[in-house]
Amino acid sequence: MRLRPTLDSLVMLDATTLADAIRGRQVSCVEVMTAYLDHIEKLNPRVNAIVALQDRAALLAQSETRDRQLARGELPGPLHGFPLAVKDLMPVKGIRMTMGSPILRDFIPDADAIMVERLRTAGAIFIGKTNTAEFGLGSHTYNPVYGVTRNAYDQSRSAGGSSGGAAVALALRMLPIADGSDHGGSLRNPAGWNNVFGFRTSYGLVPTNTTDEWLPSMSVVGPMARNVPDLALLLSVQAGYDARVPLSMPGDGGVFQRRLETDLKGKRIAWSGDFRGYLPFEPGVLEVCTSALKVFESMGCSVEEAQPEYSIDAVWRAWLKLRAWQAGAALLAHYNDPAKRALLKPEAVFEVESGLKLTAFDISAASAVRTEWYQALRRFFERYDYFIVPTAQLFPFDVNLHWPQEIAGMKMHSYHEWMKCVLPITMSGCPALAAPAGFSERGLPMGIQIVAPNHSELACLQLAYAYDTATSWSARRLPGLLG
């Protein structure tokens, strides 16, 4: 029996189920594309998650081509016929890439990024882009080109960022899966604030094009999804060595398609809490997160509050220098052009000017602190199997704010200080899988980060899979816009 192309049977399907239905010819790629485009037309004006949406007729023509391939018996890739939108920091050939900046308002790439190449080879059809913060700066998705993206659960609130468009599109079933990138929580915070999953991967697992392949940014690319098998499906396509990226990891992503079920009894989990009083949290955040910890205990894991023996404040201050160097270097050419500088938002100017004050020795010293922190966390993982940390220090804030000025009465001095809870994990280089933790009394989502030792992505997926099976937050608590 063929599946009917309705919201319930198509856009509500998990990605792995949808892939099986397409491969088994229970549903056509044209029907899938039509259902998604109709759904986007209905909901996207309410949230502004998907931008640069492509022509419907052209997308349906590509879907017809995918159907003809299936009819000829050609072996489809794992994403055959999937409508996908790539984060607007990543080039897709022929589709406008603005990075949220008026400087790049009319830029159309003539080549795909490495990750996009892999999605295309796997059979994806690119329907547009997902909205992002300007140049990916800040964990709130808004920019002067496309405007603000609104939270899937409360349109008066922020979607998080900078992968906010991807997270909202997933939560509202406008995409089956999505990509994201993360430096200061850009995969993790929007996932937590929209009740979906986001995976910050280890360095080199997902190769990306950069101008400097030898001193890479702390930013990484990873998958987003509504459940863990879907997350693993996309990661299996994204991951793997590429000779153009000399520090990329050998092997391919097939390992992530292995059985995710495993015995977790006796696993030792450390819970960060508020890092011994160092971080302020909005009332209710830690309570939602600690309620999620009970699920791990029910699976036979032991949970205790602990943190590595190292100054988190020293990590924060070192991160500020490395961030200014890396983010500022990427923006320096725009800054040096007076006409373009006038179009940069204040946070972009802040990063460049902070970077200009640094010496090479300042950067080297900050990198040494990062190394010491990694070693402290490596020793920590000799006692614990996982480290659980909140994805944010407050619930989604007013969508009209640029960034929170204070948390629990403590003043925030920069546009990224309110995201301090994710930055130590960024500095460690360890994989961090953001999973839904639950909701506040006002119905606002919050998430937890499942952190494991360097290059232990499969371990993250296994714990998250068991947790997702036990909670089913993304499937059980749907956004009100879905009716």
Side-chain angles (χ1 to χ4, degrees), residues 51 95 185 259 271 285-286 295 316 319 350 376 432 470:
V51 297
I95 298 181
R259 188 178 180 88
W271 157 241
V285 171
L286 293 179
V295 179
W316 157 249
W319 178 84
F350 167 80

Side-chain angles (χ1 to χ4, degrees), residues 39 90 93 134 220 244 286 289 361 473:
H39 192 54
M90 185 82 63
K93 182 179 180 179
E134 184 177 340
V220 300
R244 291 167 290 184
L286 293 179
C289 293
F361 295 118
W473 274 118

Side-chain angles (χ1 to χ4, degrees), residues 446-461:
M446 180 48 60
I448 52 172
Q449 304 174 70
I450 297 173
V451 186
N454 192 28
H455 300 315
S456 296
E457 275 77 10
L458 185 58
C460 285
L461 289 166

